Amino acid sequence: MAESKQPQGSGAQASEAQIAVHWREEEYVPPPPKFVEQANAKDPAIFDRFSEEHFPDCFKEYADLLVWDEPWHTTLDTSKPPFWKWFVGGKLNASYNCVDRHAEARPDKTAIIFVPELESDEHVAISYSELHRRVNEFAAVLRDSVGLKTGDRVTLHMPMVPELPVTMLACARLGVIHSQVFGGFSGTACGHRIADSGSRVLITMDGYYRSGQMQDHKAKADEALEAARQEGQEVDKVLVWRRRDGQYASKTPMADGRDFFVDGLLSEHRGATVEPVSMPSEAPLFLMYTSGTTGRPKGCVHSTGGYLSYVAGTSKYYQDIHPDDVYWCMADIGWITGHSYIVYGPLALGTTTVIYEGVPNYPDGGRPWRVAETLGVNIFHTSPTAIRMLRKVGPEEPKKYDYHFKHMTTVGEPIEPEVWRWYHSEVGKGKAAIVDTWWQTENGGFLGSTLPALQPMKPGSCGPGVLGVYPVIYDEDANEVPAGSGNAGNICIRNPWPGIFQGIWGQPDRFVATYYRKYNKDPDSTDWHDWPYFAGDGALQAADGYFRILGRVDDVINVAGHRLGTKEIESAALTVPEVAEAAAVPVIDDIRGRVVEVYVSLKPGFEPSKALEKKVSAAIDTQIGKIARPKNVWIVPDMPKTRSGKIMRRVIASISNFADVGDVTTLANPEIVDSIRHYVQSSKVARDDVPRELTEAEFEEIKKFGGE
Ligand code: WT7
């Protein structure tokens, strides 16, 4: 192992962001010639069109993929930094662009293929004309039966069914701002988001299949309304789609005058058409909540014109979507990946997008490959967590099926080169171009990726900045960390791009403080050059310009490619009356990347017990959802703390990961560390739950977790 280089910046903080990280340089893998021949972007002249000297007008190429009701007069308005506005003066409707124009041009073309989780259920193909009918009828319900107007917010808490894009597109048709909450989140988590967005309407579904079982999902709606009410937000109407015609999958009663079956409402609007509302380019299209360092989730506001242009453009060049491809992104529409690269991007391009209801390994590890074979999927998009899991449960499965991917994506977490190689040779059968796309909920679309026909792949690196996006790595003192230096720092984007979110719903100061304050050169400047976007990820840049993303630099844990705030998890644990203090830390996991462990100390008079551990776990399930469920809850006599009383998360994170805890002599209670370590590690050994030895990068992440 190479020895650590000394960081160049000054002060203790600089060394945090600039930790030297070493890894073996991977060999380039060229894209297959057959892929290159047919690629949307195969002429290197594209790099010149998107070079910095052509910024921001280069993005006209993306906006031109859409139909505008009125053309824009200003490509980029920087007058109120960092609240950038794209394609100002332009008007358009997202539903028109994703549905009507394709329904007119190719009515019978399949827009969506729905694959139910149960293999005994047939898949369902929905043509663009059928999608048009369904979106119009549901828009009529929203406008005429529910009374929703342009600018209203509506919370959706829906599973992976075609009714979800129908709902989103019906909202978009009316200029109603949708806020879809991941279906796996708890009712309470949904309720907080209802309250934050000020939604008076919740749209949900009675149930859905997961691992072969019908889930009672409507039950969460009642919990959500109660949680929203506690924050002062009343919901007037709950619209309930039904997973199976005429049946009701939930045990909870429908509240009279409040809950309505969507099929009942739709029957009053058969054949209705609703004129798409022409929206200003910068009007919000949707909210997508994500976690940050404080407990309150952030509702990222995404625009209509800039966002839709960006996802259309990146879908064309980076996903290489052609109208006649069959494209399958196995993410959940409840996350940004699904919004951008299951719904809006592919539909804007008029292609066929696959929606799979369930878990990838149901009923076995061959399922995705059977789906691909049956439907003729040729573009496949998923996360490292899913790849690791499928590799574990069925390493030989892909060969058994006759499918052909020309292109594959990985997104959401760093992918280990070894896992990448399995994806490439087994899943892709050596014949697919792969893009490792780095981006975030806030960004609308990709930030870092190779352009698949023009830049070779390098396992474990996302590649350079995408077209028209210029990343830079800064140390804590805003010095550029040069490419090839072997030093890590904070990755930032020097310029605005059309997919960037417009703000955090209701929290403008938090928006500026979180993403721009750190490296802003002059708060009065209206020149975008003075406003680098701080992404919150550590990264290094190799000499060839490719970035390797190391992970979050804040108190966020990336579980299976999804961001969870430690504060949210800790607040959930603190709802248990016996708990005095709580701290959540990441543990390295071979499948899910990171999982969560929670440490709690109890109020005086309470004794540790298994029952109490379960109670803490259950509270996290209720407040957030199963995705945040801790692998272990450790009840400890006290937390390791600084003299000023701050919990040393890095110390307990090191204990959970069997890593060296470092210097603890300056703690207020150094003696506690050994007793916690002994308790936790001997329990883990007894449970056969010892993580593998950490890599150097992982060790650095754990060592600095939680700051200080
Ligand atoms: C965080 C964003 C929008 C993608 C879904 C997750 C990490 C994302 C990669 C990648 C390494 C990645 C970053 C980022 N991340 N993609 N290709 N390689 N890390 O969206 O929940 O907003 O999380 O996921 O740490 O900041 P998200």
Side-chain angles (χ1 to χ4, degrees):
M1 203 183 290
E3 73 191 289
S4 292
K5 281 185 200 149
Q6 272 307 305
Q8 271 129 49
S10 60
Q13 280 201 311
S15 58
E16 292 294 351
Q18 276 196 312
I19 300 151
V21 182
H22 303 269
W23 81 97
R24 199 164 63 83
E25 263 298 316
E26 296 289 330
E27 303 274 319
Y28 284 134
V29 180
K34 246 180 100 179
F35 173 82
V36 176
E37 257 164 52
Q38 59 80 64
N40 280 327
K42 59 177 172 208
D43 178 355
I46 197 166
F47 294 119
D48 180 52
R49 298 205 298 280
F50 281 87
S51 69
E52 205 168 334
E53 73 184 280
H54 296 127
F55 178 86
D57 296 321
C58 53
F59 284 115
K60 179 177 186 300
E61 191 164 330
Y62 286 4
D64 283 347
L65 295 170
L66 307 179
V67 172
W68 295 74
D69 305 331
E70 274 174 44
W72 66 92
H73 50 69
T74 306
T75 307
L76 171 63
D77 175 354
T78 65
S79 60
K80 281 205 198 93
F83 298 87
W84 317 118
K85 291 190 180 127
W86 282 88
F87 310 124
V88 183
K91 287 184 129 187
L92 77 168
N93 182 279
S95 163
Y96 177 85
N97 272 285
C98 292
V99 185
D100 300 46
R101 58 179 180 145
H102 311 306
E104 282 155 26
R106 298 175 78 188
D108 299 329
K109 161 94 195 162
T110 301
I112 294 172
I113 303 176
F114 172 54
V115 181
E117 197 195 60
L118 298 185
E119 261 183 315
S120 50
D121 286 347
E122 292 274 297
H123 65 259
V124 183
I126 301 170
S127 67
Y128 273 96
S129 72
E130 172 71 4
L131 182 63
H132 183 261
R133 182 183 67 74
R134 293 178 66 169
V135 168
N136 273 272
E137 289 176 353
F138 192 58
V141 167
L142 295 179
R143 187 186 64 187
D144 303 334
S145 301
V146 183
L148 287 169
K149 300 179 309 296
T150 302
D152 289 346
R153 278 83 54 213
V154 173
T155 298
L156 283 46
H157 194 203
M158 293 187 59
M160 280 293 285
V161 290
E163 288 78 5
L164 175 50
V166 166
T167 302
M168 291 160 64
L169 292 162
C171 290
R173 201 165 186 85
L174 301 169
V176 166
I177 304 167
H178 59 76
S179 171
Q180 154 73 6
V181 175
F182 170 55
F185 273 147
S186 68
T188 306
C190 178
H192 294 317
R193 288 154 178 78
I194 290 175
D196 190 83
S197 63
S199 300
R200 300 193 67 91
V201 175
L202 170 65
I203 305 177
T204 186
M205 185 167 253
D206 60 343
Y208 62 96
Y209 288 93
R210 197 171 167 81
S211 301
Q213 297 298 314
M214 179 67 103
Q215 309 291 309
D216 181 346
H217 187 63
K218 162 67 168 59
K220 290 184 175 177
D222 300 274
E223 291 161 19
L225 265 52
E226 184 48 38
R229 187 172 303 125
Q230 281 178 16
E231 293 184 39
Q233 180 68 31
E234 291 293 333
V235 171
D236 311 323
K237 291 194 175 78
V238 179
L239 308 191
V240 184
W241 289 93
R242 285 201 256 203
R243 175 64 182 78
R244 289 195 181 275
D245 284 344
Q247 299 177 18
Y248 184 47
S250 174
K251 292 198 175 59
T252 50
M254 295 285 283
D256 205 28
R258 186 198 75 183
D259 299 353
F260 301 88
F261 285 125
V262 172
D263 47 292
L265 298 171
L266 276 172
S267 64
E268 298 160 23
H269 299 279
R270 288 276 167 253
T273 52
V274 171
E275 210 34 46
V277 179
S278 197
M279 300 297 293
S281 174
E282 66 273 20
L285 177 62
F286 66 85
L287 307 182
M288 172 61 64
Y289 279 86
T290 189
S291 300
T293 43
T294 70
R296 185 173 170 196
K298 303 183 274 195
C300 298
V301 183
H302 284 284
S303 74
T304 307
Y307 171 82
L308 199 62
S309 301
Y310 197 67
V311 296
T314 49
S315 292
K316 178 171 175 183
Y317 292 140
Y318 286 90
Q319 296 294 287
D320 198 52
I321 291 177
H322 301 241
D324 290 323
D325 289 325
V326 178
Y327 168 86
W328 181 17
C329 171
M330 210 169 56
D332 193 294
I333 300 174
W335 307 106
I336 190 72
T337 303
H339 273 50
S340 300
Y341 297 114
I342 297 177
V343 179
Y344 284 113
L347 293 179
L349 295 180
T351 197
T352 300
T353 185
V354 175
I355 294 180
Y356 172 56
E357 177 177 34
V359 295
N361 59 338
Y362 183 82
D364 57 66
R367 183 69 189 279
W369 326 129
R370 285 200 288 286
V371 171
E373 180 185 83
T374 310
L375 304 182
V377 172
N378 67 340
I379 307 181
F380 183 67
H381 186 150
T382 194
S383 65
T385 288
I387 301 167
R388 290 190 285 257
M389 193 256 282
L390 291 165
R391 175 173 176 243
K392 185 173 176 195
V393 299
E396 304 295 327
E397 286 297 309
K399 332 187 149 34
K400 299 183 188 160
Y401 298 95
D402 183 25
Y403 65 85
H404 304 279
F405 293 154
K406 68 165 183 176
H407 180 289
M408 305 194 300
T409 300
T410 154
V411 61
E413 321 148 62
I415 185 165
E416 301 75 6
E418 189 199 335
V419 177
W420 189 97
R421 278 188 277 272
W422 181 78
Y423 194 39
H424 181 256
S425 66
E426 300 304 312
V427 177
K429 306 177 179 187
K431 292 184 178 142
I434 299 182
V435 288
D436 177 346
T437 59
W438 167 69
W439 59 299
Q440 314 168 301
T441 305
E442 292 87 339
N443 310 148
F446 307 142
L447 291 182
S449 171
T450 50
L451 195 51
L454 291 171
Q455 291 164 329
M457 310 169 241
K458 189 160 78 175
S461 297
C462 68
V466 297
L467 294 167
V469 166
Y470 318 117
V472 60
I473 297 179
Y474 288 130
D475 68 16
E476 289 294 325
D477 304 318
N479 303 308
E480 244 184 90
V481 179
S485 67
N487 285 336
N490 295 314
I491 187 164
C492 296
I493 309 296
R494 287 198 290 111
N495 63 304
W497 64 98
I500 182 70
F501 67 140
Q502 298 173 299
I504 304 175
W505 185 259
Q507 305 181 70
D509 297 341
R510 187 177 178 192
F511 170 68
V512 181
T514 309
Y515 302 99
Y516 293 98
R517 189 153 297 153
K518 192 173 176 80
Y519 291 116
N520 173 230
K521 292 167 197 151
D522 170 8
D524 295 322
S525 167
T526 55
D527 179 350
W528 60 258
H529 292 88
D530 294 327
W531 294 87
Y533 167 82
F534 172 70
D537 276 326
L540 316 107
Q541 190 176 25
D544 60 7
Y546 281 33
F547 292 95
R548 181 170 155 119
I549 307 297
L550 301 171
R552 305 288 313 177
V553 297
D554 52 13
D555 293 350
V556 164
I557 305 176
N558 189 332
V559 178
H562 302 302
R563 244 198 277 177
L564 297 172
T566 47
K567 287 284 180 304
E568 278 170 79
I569 300 168
E570 291 163 6
S571 311
L574 288 167
T575 63
V576 175
E578 295 88 338
V579 170
E581 290 180 306
V585 295
V587 179
I588 307 294
D589 183 88
D590 276 339
I591 301 292
R592 291 154 70 80
R594 305 286 176 274
V595 292
V596 177
E597 289 198 355
V598 172
Y599 285 67
V600 297
S601 65
L602 303 180
K603 291 177 186 161
F606 294 104
E607 290 299 318
S609 67
K610 275 269 164 281
L612 209 44
E613 288 175 15
K614 288 213 174 94
K615 208 166 159 186
V616 171
S617 215
I620 294 168
D621 266 18
T622 309
Q623 297 288 318
I624 304 172
K626 288 198 184 78
I627 184 166
R629 182 183 287 174
K631 183 168 195 192
N632 290 299
V633 174
W634 305 111
I635 302 178
V636 295
D638 196 5
M639 301 282 185
K641 287 187 194 133
T642 61
R643 295 212 171 111
S644 59
K646 189 178 183 289
I647 299 176
M648 293 296 279
R649 287 177 180 72
R650 69 164 171 81
V651 173
I652 52 181
S654 300
I655 292 175
S656 276
N657 288 285
F658 288 71
D660 177 10
V661 294
D663 181 11
V664 295
T665 52
T666 59
L667 295 189
N669 52 353
E671 69 291 346
I672 198 77
V673 175
D674 269 340
S675 78
I676 297 177
R677 180 171 46 204
H678 181 259
Y679 163 57
V680 169
Q681 295 186 347
S682 60
S683 310
K684 285 193 160 210
V685 169
R687 289 176 202 178
D688 201 13
D689 178 20
V690 180
R692 61 165 167 74
E693 206 178 317
L694 308 193
T695 66
E696 196 172 348
E698 288 164 350
F699 180 65
E700 295 298 344
E701 173 192 324
I702 296 301
K703 202 173 82 181
K704 68 182 177 33
F705 188 75
E708 294 195 52

